Amino acid sequence: METNAISRRNFLRASGVAGTALFLGFYFPASAKKGKIVTTAGAEGSAIEMNAWIRIDTDGKVTLTDHRAEMGQGSYQSVPQIIAEELEVDMNDIKVVFAPGDNKKYGSQITGGSSTIRGSYKKLLMLSATARQMLITAAANKWNVPATECYAESGNVNHKPSGRKFHYGELVADASKLEAPKNVPLKKIAEYKLIRKPLHRLDTPLKTNGEAVFGLDKKMPGMLYAAVERNPRQRGKLNSFDDTATRKIPGVKNVFKVQMGVYDTFRDGAAVVADSTWAAIQGKKALRVEWDDSGFDHVNSADIFKKQEELLKTQEGLSFRKIGDPDSIIAHADKTIDVIYQTPYQSHSAMEPLNCVAHYQGDKIEIWGPIQAPEWVQEYISGQFNIAKEKVIVNMTFLGGGFGRKAFMDYPHEATLISKEMGAPVQVVWTREDDMTQGPYRAGISYRGQGVIENGEISAIKFKMAGQNIGHWRGGKKDQANGSTSEGFLAPYYKSIKNISFSDVPFEIPLPNIWWRSVYASTNGFAYESFLNELAAAAGKDQLDFRRQYLNDDRCQRLIDKLEEVSGWKSRKKGDGFGVAITECFSSTVGQVVKVSRHTDGHVKIDQVWAVMDCGWYVNPDIVKAQVEGAIVMALGAATTHEITFKDGVVEQTNFYNYIMPRMNDVPPIEVHIMENEADAGGVGEPGLPAFAPALTDAIFDLTGKRIRKLPFDIGAI
């Protein structure tokens, strides 16, 4: 890790603090591929702005600036746990604050792709170890003893021979004058006291006693509230509205047209602004709107999947990756396996519906809310309102779930438009119906798998996918295959299967789509792993043995060993209702075994799920397990209880009574195991999802002999 100095004069000018605290942070120059550690001392005349990722005050308290959002995935706990380990402080001496949007200071702040820990942990370890070493040096200087005789523990620097000690707070003034040392050695995993320990989360008390500030909790003087009646069809226009009844509702201040940006299009709506959320929503209900929905297709779900299936059978699509000559082998084979898989559109349906506070002030715009991607919001708002990016201030609150939906720019844009019209800060609140019917959604996708088995081995395998490409909505080149065409498929297969191909058959439709938990792996995983289970059956081989022969990688082999061990895989009998799948995404691999049986009423029930995650280096095992469990529950709903469908261009599901979430009694026992190794950290929040659906349908095949290739399905009707 490189270090970079900052002049004391410029630091004091930026921070307003004179020798009362120790600050360390990262500096991200535009040309640098990695951040540099910045301290409060160094060369005079530097113009670097201090970002203070870690601040240690004279009372010894540590303030950590968390650069990523906390939406339930546990960064509010994991990041401090990393800092506390190398800094040698107690967790209860750490205060966490969210950083405002500023990628020049904090690097990427996009909370997605399971990237918070895997993208930052090495920097955070080095940053906190550097702070610890500076404090040790400051103490050694005060005692006039060698630094090697000193050690840090529980927020103190101790002198081993004499037993003397200084509290960190007594050292920060001296430490702040030191240059940051280079190449401070980090602890070995065996030396960890906090990392890899199941510590209780710092945000749990805040969320149970009401202290945690979510977007809806934000209040400010003069703030108004808005609800918006939006066109239910993406490209429809607002002809007119009758607000006579709306304006009679006490508290309603104004009603006007608003156009919310959705990628490079705009969705028309009528905003109702009032002095309370209740009045705004009641005013919205009383509004009478006439829409113009002419001039474009009004899509239906059945037509979407019929068209995708036709494309898979008639077009080769855009090649994503090809090894060998699978086309020739498949064309000349005596027998092939040729099947279609389909996965539905899905809503994110975070328990906290969308909301956002915006204050347009002419020369600057300030935004507060549950936001996954502050820098994207800054860029979009800057462009739409012709204002410098640094004048768009984005403040992150806690998120009540996100799953990719809150990394979008539409709801902050709409809130800013309404604030500008009203000349006041405005909080826009989406109802559950708004959230579910407006999208964007996880796209529904169809897949075609073709394969040849000869002498019990895979001779060739070919996958084609037809579904909406998020990249196309974001301005990507339409003559290139979806960059996530093979997401979820394990890399070792490319070395062991001699003839293999992936292609993307372009499919365009005017329905906005966006990331959903585990992104394309959530759909790819079902198709690709289900097909491997079908190939194993055709080869007459055990599904895990079949994978073992192709996953020639030590970590994969150990994961399979663990999966067999914890699930009792080898002791099962044919027809017992066991199924398996292994997927990889965001640098983590997860294997799952699902066990099903016939209930006394004749229905199929899920008895048990075993999950084994290899995420490399990790922080808190309880958080890892909770994320895998949550991902499995989300996958269960997407596989068996809910989907988004369209009729005449309008979403048919409006709330949880017809977009059915799994209930507590639907969720089986889930047992999660973490592989122990020293590999680089992988993602945790998303990789637990993709393997569940193919493992479940494989288990149902083992029990009933019935192959399920289309999701969702009614498990109670099998």
Side-chain angles (χ1 to χ4, degrees):
M1 180 65 62
E2 300 178 63
T3 62
N4 196 79
I6 178 172
S7 75
R8 186 162 179 76
R9 179 184 302 168
N10 281 322
F11 167 72
L12 296 177
R13 182 164 56 243
S15 67
V17 178
T20 60
L22 171 63
F23 291 75
L24 279 89
F26 287 107
Y27 167 53
F28 290 88
S31 60
K33 293 183 179 179
K34 58 182 180 179
K36 300 178 180 180
I37 291 180
V38 183
T39 71
T40 58
E44 195 72 17
S46 172
I48 298 170
E49 185 179 358
M50 190 65 196
N51 58 26
W53 282 42
I54 297 176
R55 167 178 171 157
I56 307 174
D57 291 299
T58 54
D59 61 0
K61 295 293 184 181
V62 179
T63 299
L64 167 67
T65 301
D66 191 353
H67 66 305
R68 295 292 180 90
E70 172 56 65
M71 54 184 180
Q73 85 281 21
S75 71
Y76 196 87
Q77 168 67 30
S78 297
V79 173
Q81 201 164 331
I82 294 171
I83 295 293
E85 180 67 68
E86 284 289 357
L87 189 54
E88 290 286 356
V89 295
D90 296 331
M91 289 292 291
N92 57 10
D93 284 333
I94 295 180
K95 175 185 177 182
V96 185
V97 297
F98 293 121
D102 192 333
N103 63 355
K104 289 183 180 179
K105 285 186 179 182
Y106 300 104
S108 173
Q109 293 178 263
I110 299 166
T111 307
S114 294
S115 62
T116 297
I117 299 302
R118 69 187 178 105
S120 302
Y121 79 101
K122 291 181 179 179
K123 298 183 181 72
L124 294 169
L125 287 170
M126 184 56 70
L127 190 66
S128 47
T130 299
R132 181 194 73 232
Q133 191 58 48
M134 292 173 71
L135 291 161
I136 289 174
T137 300
N141 291 344
K142 288 171 78 75
W143 288 320
N144 195 27
V145 299
T148 53
E149 293 183 357
C150 305
Y151 67 96
E153 185 177 60
S154 297
N156 296 283
V157 176
N158 303 273
H159 183 228
K160 191 178 300 182
S162 68
R164 291 177 291 177
K165 68 179 179 180
F166 280 122
H167 192 275
Y168 279 178
E170 299 175 276
L171 300 170
V172 293
D174 290 335
S176 68
K177 301 170 186 176
L178 300 173
E179 295 286 348
K182 296 182 179 181
N183 302 317
V184 177
L186 301 178
K187 293 181 181 180
K188 296 179 181 179
I189 290 176
E191 298 171 335
Y192 286 160
K193 303 172 186 175
L194 301 176
I195 293 175
R196 299 206 177 194
K197 302 300 187 291
L199 306 185
H200 294 305
R201 288 176 57 155
L202 295 173
D203 53 335
T204 300
L206 305 179
K207 292 175 178 177
T208 52
N209 67 19
E211 287 184 39
V213 177
F214 291 83
L216 286 173
D217 297 319
K218 178 63 183 176
K219 300 290 183 290
M220 55 192 306
M223 190 171 81
L224 299 173
Y225 302 84
V228 181
E229 182 71 7
R230 304 172 189 87
N231 194 306
R233 297 185 178 89
Q234 168 64 20
R235 294 189 291 176
K237 299 299 179 184
L238 188 155
N239 263 349
S240 62
F241 60 82
D242 180 354
D243 60 0
T244 304
T246 297
R247 290 184 179 273
K248 292 179 181 179
I249 293 174
V252 170
K253 302 292 186 183
N254 202 358
V255 184
F256 52 88
K257 179 180 178 179
V258 64
Q259 291 184 305
M260 175 181 68
V262 181
Y263 292 111
D264 59 354
T265 64
F266 293 88
R267 173 166 279 170
D268 281 11
V272 178
V273 184
D275 60 10
S276 70
T277 302
W278 174 258
I281 292 175
Q282 295 309 304
K284 173 187 170 182
K285 290 179 178 179
L287 199 62
R288 297 293 175 260
V289 183
E290 181 181 326
W291 305 108
D292 177 6
D293 293 328
S294 61
F296 60 93
D297 293 338
H298 295 181
V299 296
N300 296 288
S301 288
D303 297 333
I304 290 172
F305 291 103
K306 181 179 179 182
K307 178 63 175 177
Q308 289 178 352
E309 196 166 340
E310 290 173 355
L311 289 171
L312 289 173
K313 292 178 178 179
T314 59
Q315 295 188 18
E316 283 302 305
L318 304 169
S319 178
F320 177 76
R321 185 165 185 175
K322 189 172 185 179
I323 298 171
D325 189 8
D327 295 319
S328 177
I329 293 173
I330 290 170
H332 295 93
D334 293 332
K335 185 178 180 181
T336 63
I337 302 169
D338 189 343
V339 293
I340 299 289
Y341 301 95
Q342 292 183 327
T343 56
Y345 281 79
Q346 293 284 354
S347 166
H348 299 77
S349 291
M351 290 299 104
E352 172 202 31
L354 292 172
N355 64 89
C356 187
V357 174
H359 191 190
Y360 179 91
Q361 300 167 67
D363 61 342
K364 74 172 183 177
I365 297 169
E366 192 157 10
I367 292 167
W368 298 262
I371 292 169
Q372 286 183 244
E375 62 207 70
W376 289 350
V377 171
Q378 286 179 298
E379 290 169 1
Y380 188 80
I381 297 296
S382 171
Q384 290 296 319
F385 291 89
N386 193 27
I387 187 171
K389 180 180 174 182
E390 59 268 20
K391 296 293 186 180
V392 180
I393 302 165
V394 178
N395 304 285
M396 293 185 286
T397 64
F398 281 103
L399 286 71
F403 313 118
R405 176 60 179 93
K406 292 170 185 169
F408 203 41
M409 294 79 74
D410 57 344
Y411 63 108
H413 176 236
E414 184 180 62
T416 307
L417 287 168
I418 297 171
S419 173
K420 181 180 180 181
E421 178 71 21
M422 296 302 298
V426 175
Q427 182 181 73
V428 180
V429 177
W430 293 47
T431 64
R432 176 62 61 194
E433 288 78 9
D434 295 333
D435 191 45
M436 198 168 286
T437 61
Q438 293 292 302
Y441 304 102
R442 185 192 81 172
I445 303 180
S446 297
Y447 298 83
R448 184 180 181 185
Q450 296 172 271
V452 176
I453 295 291
E454 295 177 325
N455 301 317
E457 308 285 339
I458 298 175
S459 293
I461 189 170
K462 179 178 180 180
F463 291 115
K464 291 192 291 185
M465 66 182 290
Q468 290 181 266
N469 186 339
I470 298 170
H472 290 174
W473 280 86
R474 303 183 71 214
K477 295 181 179 179
K478 295 190 177 183
D479 60 349
Q480 294 181 356
N482 188 327
S484 299
T485 299
S486 67
E487 189 174 56
F489 196 72
L490 277 71
Y493 286 130
Y494 293 116
K495 295 180 180 179
S496 57
I497 301 175
K498 303 303 181 184
N499 299 281
I500 187 170
S501 73
F502 286 88
S503 61
D504 169 31
V505 180
F507 176 76
E508 301 290 338
I509 198 168
L511 296 173
N513 66 305
I514 198 175
W515 315 275
W516 191 86
R517 193 171 188 173
S518 76
V519 199
Y520 284 97
S522 71
T523 55
N524 294 354
F526 171 65
Y528 302 159
E529 282 295 287
S530 292
F531 194 62
L532 280 170
N533 282 329
E534 295 206 40
L535 291 176
K541 294 187 176 181
D542 173 282
Q543 303 98 299
L544 270 177
D545 289 343
F546 190 68
R547 285 172 172 80
R548 188 187 288 279
Q549 81 181 79
Y550 294 106
L551 294 173
N552 297 320
D553 172 271
D554 287 343
R555 290 174 69 179
C556 288
Q557 293 289 312
R558 290 196 295 270
L559 185 144
I560 292 172
D561 290 342
K562 188 69 173 179
L563 204 55
E564 289 179 339
E565 173 195 336
V566 300
S567 67
W569 180 265
K570 289 295 187 182
S571 63
R572 82 196 193 290
K573 298 178 181 178
K574 183 176 176 58
D576 277 354
F578 280 79
V580 67
I582 304 173
T583 55
E584 184 277 333
C585 62
F586 306 115
S587 302
S588 289
T589 301
V590 176
Q592 292 183 29
V593 169
V594 175
K595 168 72 172 67
V596 300
S597 65
R598 287 283 184 190
H599 197 267
T600 53
D601 62 5
H603 294 159
V604 172
K605 66 166 185 154
I606 305 172
D607 299 318
Q608 177 85 33
V609 181
W610 295 269
V612 177
M613 168 173 268
D614 185 348
C615 59
W617 190 94
Y618 66 89
V619 181
N620 188 316
D622 275 4
I623 291 177
V624 175
K625 292 176 181 179
Q627 286 303 296
V628 175
E629 291 167 355
I632 288 171
V633 174
M634 194 166 178
L636 171 63
T640 64
T641 67
H642 53 68
E643 66 177 320
I644 290 293
T645 58
F646 304 91
K647 184 176 181 180
D648 192 29
V650 176
V651 175
E652 294 185 286
Q653 292 72 33
T654 57
N655 210 314
F656 292 135
Y657 64 84
N658 55 4
Y659 190 81
I660 308 297
M661 290 289 175
R663 306 290 182 176
M664 289 185 68
N665 60 350
D666 297 321
V667 178
I670 301 171
E671 189 176 298
V672 181
H673 300 267
I674 307 169
M675 299 297 293
E676 297 288 342
N677 56 56
E678 298 187 16
D680 285 346
V684 167
E686 301 179 82
L689 190 144
F692 175 75
L696 172 61
T697 55
D698 187 42
I700 290 172
F701 173 75
D702 184 47
L703 181 71
T704 68
K706 180 180 180 180
R707 286 286 183 198
I708 296 170
R709 301 188 179 107
K710 183 175 182 178
L711 303 180
F713 66 96
D714 182 357
I715 193 170
I718 295 172

